[in-house]
């Protein structure tokens, strides 16, 4: 298949598999049957909130370019509309009111990455010229734009924005792998062999359309830091080894619809690379977001759910996890709910 945007797609990618203008990627695998599979896992009706408080981790230790939410009052009648006493403006009204606005970094805390979050320079037309593109060949500068004006830069993902995930629903069967049980708090780059051993030991099966969650224990460290995380957290607990080609191939072959973790990037980030290395800084991101259309999600609070599932000898549940329907955004906070 080819489109007006591309005649050459990355090897092993899903570009065009769901049509030339697809913006959902492997979320297309989550339909009514997958939702029913998730519902079938509900045995007790107990729910778990899988979001950290959105002002955590705290500071910007985990990411120097992202900051906690900043709440401000709405202005009404030239006054802050917070603990606003209506009697001061009209004695007839006894009301007190509060209303706020927020400056929110969409990927500071519990989040979804949109498919517009990560692209690559790739020869989409097969003419030997690399161009900056995202999943399914949508173009930087055309389909994702940034304009500058008096109020600063204004961005918009006209294609692949996070609102596509929200409209789709993002509800289905979740499967959790407890990496912390096997690797503890020590940093470990999880290879394909490691993951297969863990899944076999814990009798975990992942099927096409499942959303796969990885608990590493970072969330407990974030919560314990109470808004002031120890910088050592950046080198703690398990992470997927995005440079392991067998692991990337397993992601392809497994048919997972989404990859979710409690850590900062799902995969190992910041490891030293050889001087002669040439490739993506985050190869799992490139493989999932750019090639396969598999959304990634990070910094979820999975500890309570993981420990409950372990005690019950379970790994599957109903996951309801829509992002904000925030048009044109390349990421979004989320308040996911697991129902067991």
């Amino acid at each position: 298949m080819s489109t007006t945007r591309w005649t050459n797609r990355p090897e092993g990618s899903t570009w065009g598999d769901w049509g030339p203008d697809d913006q959902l990627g492997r979320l297309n695998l989550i339909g009514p049957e997958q939702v029913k599979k998730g519902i079938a896992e509900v045995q007790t009706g107990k729910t778990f909130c899988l979001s950290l408080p959105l002002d955590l981790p705290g500071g910007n230790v985990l990411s120097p370019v992202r900051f906690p939410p900043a709440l401000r009052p709405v202005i009404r009648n030239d006054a802050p509309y917070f603990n606003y006493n209506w009697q001061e403006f009209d004695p007839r009204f006894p009301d007190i009111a509060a209303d706020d606005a927020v400056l929110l970094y969409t990927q500071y805390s519990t989040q979804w990455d949109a498919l517009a979050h990560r692209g690559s320079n790739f020869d989409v037309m097969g003419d030997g010229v690399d161009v900056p593109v995202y999943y399914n060949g949508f173009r930087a500068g055309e389909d994702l734009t940034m304009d500058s004006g008096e109020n600063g830069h204004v961005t918009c993902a006209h294609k692949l924005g996070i609102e596509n995930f929200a409209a789709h629903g993002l509800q289905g069967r979740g499967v959790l792998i407890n990496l912390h049980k096997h690797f503890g708090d020590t940093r470990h780059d999880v290879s394909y062999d490691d993951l297969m051993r863990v899944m076999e030991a814990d009798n975990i099966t992942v099927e096409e359309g499942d959303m796969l969650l990885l608990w590493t224990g970072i969330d407990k460290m974030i919560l314990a830091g109470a808004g002031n995380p120890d910088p050592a957290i950046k080198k703690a607990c398990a992470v997927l080894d995005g440079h392991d080609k067998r692991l990337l191939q397993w992601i392809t072959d497994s048919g997972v619809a989404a990859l979710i973790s409690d850590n900062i990037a799902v995969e190992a980030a910041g490891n030293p690379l050889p001087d002669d290395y040439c490739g993506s800084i985050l190869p799992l991101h490139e493989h999932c977001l750019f090639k396969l259309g598999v959304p990634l999600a990070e910094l979820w609070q999975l500890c309570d759910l993981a420990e409950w599932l372990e005690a019950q000898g379970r790994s599957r549940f109903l996951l309801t996890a829509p992002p904000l329907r925030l048009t044109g955004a390349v990421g979004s906070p989320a308040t996911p709910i697991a129902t067991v």
Side-chain angles (χ1 to χ4, degrees):
M1 174 182 283
S2 65
T3 74
T4 56
R5 291 188 310 279
W6 56 269
T7 60
N8 181 43
R9 70 179 189 173
E11 183 179 356
S13 77
T14 63
W15 291 20
D17 286 1
W18 293 282
D21 298 317
D22 174 56
Q23 299 182 57
L24 290 176
R26 287 231 295 235
L27 290 188
N28 284 286
L29 299 176
I30 302 178
E33 290 304 314
Q34 199 64 21
V35 174
K36 289 193 288 186
K37 287 179 181 180
I39 292 170
E41 298 295 338
V42 177
Q43 299 176 17
T44 70
K46 181 178 177 63
T47 61
F48 292 87
C49 175
L50 305 184
S51 174
L52 291 167
L54 291 184
D55 57 348
L56 294 183
N60 61 349
V61 166
L62 288 185
S63 175
V65 299
R66 297 171 182 159
F67 296 86
L71 293 168
R72 300 289 185 267
V74 167
I75 303 301
R76 183 166 191 156
N77 294 327
D78 297 322
Y81 197 57
F82 200 86
N83 295 331
Y84 185 94
N85 193 332
W86 273 94
Q87 285 186 333
E88 294 179 5
F89 298 89
D90 191 321
R92 295 175 300 163
F93 304 138
D95 308 82
I96 306 296
D99 198 350
D100 50 21
V102 59
L103 173 62
L104 185 68
Y105 285 70
T106 57
Q107 292 170 279
Y108 177 77
S109 187
T110 300
Q111 65 182 270
W112 278 108
D113 293 342
L115 298 184
H117 176 56
R118 203 84 181 183
S120 187
N121 288 286
F122 183 75
D123 179 13
V124 288
M125 302 312 294
D127 57 6
V129 179
D130 288 348
V131 293
V133 294
Y134 296 85
Y135 175 76
N136 217 1
F138 289 108
R139 303 297 179 93
E142 298 176 24
D143 299 305
L144 277 79
T145 61
M146 182 173 68
D147 298 319
S148 301
E150 293 182 1
N151 297 320
H153 301 301
V154 177
T155 63
C156 184
H158 305 281
K159 302 293 184 180
L160 303 177
I162 199 71
E163 71 274 11
N164 294 285
F165 294 178
H168 186 65
L170 264 176
Q171 184 178 53
R173 185 168 65 190
V175 180
L176 186 139
I177 298 178
N178 189 335
L179 296 178
H180 186 263
K181 171 184 172 183
H182 295 270
F183 302 110
D185 292 340
T186 303
R187 176 62 173 262
H188 184 84
D189 289 14
V190 176
S191 66
Y192 167 81
D193 289 333
D194 290 330
L195 188 63
M196 294 304 104
R197 281 195 294 268
V198 168
M199 292 177 64
E200 182 178 5
D202 292 350
N203 194 30
I204 293 173
T205 302
V206 176
E207 300 176 17
E208 183 179 272
D210 286 340
M211 290 180 276
L212 181 61
L213 295 83
L214 306 167
W215 181 49
T216 73
I218 284 287
D219 55 351
K220 275 196 163 183
M221 294 183 175
I222 290 172
L223 291 166
N228 187 27
D230 186 327
I233 199 173
K234 296 175 71 173
K235 293 295 182 181
C237 300
V239 288
L240 294 187
D241 180 2
H243 291 277
D244 185 339
K245 289 183 170 52
R246 294 174 70 202
L247 180 60
L248 299 184
Q249 187 60 48
W250 179 82
I251 294 171
T252 297
D253 296 340
S254 68
V256 295
L259 270 177
I260 298 158
S261 78
D262 59 335
N263 61 24
I264 186 65
V266 182
E267 65 180 306
N271 287 350
L273 296 171
D275 291 341
D276 61 351
Y277 175 77
C278 185
S280 174
I281 300 169
L282 294 173
L284 186 144
H285 275 63
E286 179 189 53
H287 187 71
C288 290
L289 296 175
F290 176 63
K291 293 181 179 179
L292 295 182
V294 171
L296 301 177
E298 296 107 355
L299 292 171
W300 287 30
Q301 183 178 324
L302 302 178
C303 51
D304 296 334
L305 171 66
E307 291 171 351
W308 187 91
L309 290 172
E310 177 68 22
Q312 302 298 317
R314 293 177 54 182
S315 62
R316 295 180 169 190
F317 49 93
L318 172 65
L319 178 60
T320 305
L324 298 178
R325 198 169 184 176
L326 184 57
T327 302
V330 301
S332 171
T335 306
I337 298 292
T339 309
V340 297

